[in-house]
Amino acid sequence: MAMACSGHMPVEAAKPQPRTHFLACDSPSNSRKIFASSLHFLGKDPAPCRRFHASHIKNAPFARRSKLALVAMAKPDPLKIMLSGAPASGKGTQCELITKKYGLVHIAAGDLLRAEVAAGSENGKRAKEYMEKGQLVPDEIVVMMVKERLLQSDSLENGWLLDGYPRSLSQATALQEFGLQADLFILLEVPEEILVERVVGRRLDPVTGRIYHLKYSPPETEEIAARLTRRFDDTEEKVKLRLRTHHQNVEAVLSMYKDITIKVNGDAPKENVFAQIDNALSKLLEQGKATSGSLAA
């Protein structure tokens, strides 16, 4: 949202006051799309059109006795971010860091699916039927869940971070058809051999739910180590199959978001990975504030 310059509007005594609308051809979010599609030109200052909001002119008798200033407060749209990456690429860690700093609503399709089933919502009931049969939940059900979550008030007010979704071209197309567009699509890139090592060494503590890694974050005690379990599909053979499927799907998804995609080196300490993401998000916010502020000047 932007600010309309104040002005004076004389009122004729005999004429009723018409409603007044301020219009322009675009919104702050579109300026972000321009920015995101050319992140290597961060120094440039695009100047897109803005949308102005003003209250209707009311109370004509009062207007005749005073000068009316119309002001709309300028405020950039909240961030809308998609984060993608292969299994064990570090999405969960980065989502945690992003939401902690930027206050975005974290939305993961898997968590959302489980929550809907537990709540007994209409979508949850439909999904449960497939899950009880050991079948995959159809895209149309999951997409509806994601859509409804993205349109809730906290997501609209604070912005959102979509974790590992969309995973396929059909999911990305469905979101686009609903008019749900991100400002930035972040892809974490990690070499396959590193991903395999990360997955094969993962272990779960069934008591606390904490994830350990035999090499990178081993359990603190022998007692914890003795009770750790391994996911049935955390084997080298199965992870390579999952990675192959991921690479095929992500290429198709990237074709939908190529203008707003940045690729981040995920083969680094988590602080360094976050620094790359933080830089892009900070620039995105600064650009939005700058274009909003230019109208308030």
Side-chain angles (χ1 to χ4, degrees), residues 22-91:
F22 289 81
L23 301 175
C25 67
D26 214 340
S27 67
S29 59
N30 282 342
S31 65
R32 286 212 188 99
K33 294 171 190 173
I34 296 171
F35 162 80
S37 65
S38 54
L39 280 172
H40 52 292
F41 294 117
L42 291 177
K44 293 191 176 181
D45 180 22
C49 300
R50 307 291 293 180
R51 181 185 296 131
F52 296 158
H53 298 283
S55 60
H56 296 157
I57 299 175
K58 298 179 180 179
N59 198 350
F62 173 78
R64 284 195 294 267
R65 297 190 302 268
S66 64
K67 298 178 180 179
L68 183 62
L70 302 176
V71 179
M73 297 303 293
K75 182 181 178 182
D77 288 344
L79 292 173
K80 293 169 285 191
I81 307 299
M82 292 176 175
L83 180 66
S84 180
S89 61
K91 294 190 301 296

Side-chain angles (χ1 to χ4, degrees), residues 169-243:
L169 182 60
S170 61
Q171 293 169 355
T173 301
L175 289 179
Q176 188 177 65
E177 289 173 352
F178 284 129
L180 298 168
Q181 175 66 36
D183 298 318
L184 200 62
F185 186 95
I186 303 170
L187 178 64
L188 295 178
E189 293 190 313
V190 180
E192 183 166 317
E193 61 272 18
I194 301 297
L195 292 172
V196 171
E197 182 184 36
R198 288 181 180 179
V199 171
V200 171
R202 284 195 306 203
R203 296 294 185 272
L204 170 68
D205 183 347
V207 175
T208 64
R210 180 175 173 181
I211 301 293
Y212 289 92
H213 192 280
L214 298 181
K215 178 179 178 180
Y216 300 113
S217 58
E220 297 88 350
T221 67
E222 289 295 329
E223 180 185 356
I224 295 175
R227 68 182 185 229
L228 296 182
T229 61
R230 182 183 188 180
R231 269 179 51 167
F232 75 94
D233 57 350
D234 278 356
T235 64
E236 184 170 348
E237 179 183 359
K238 290 186 181 299
V239 74
K240 285 184 175 179
L241 179 61
R242 285 157 60 196
L243 289 174

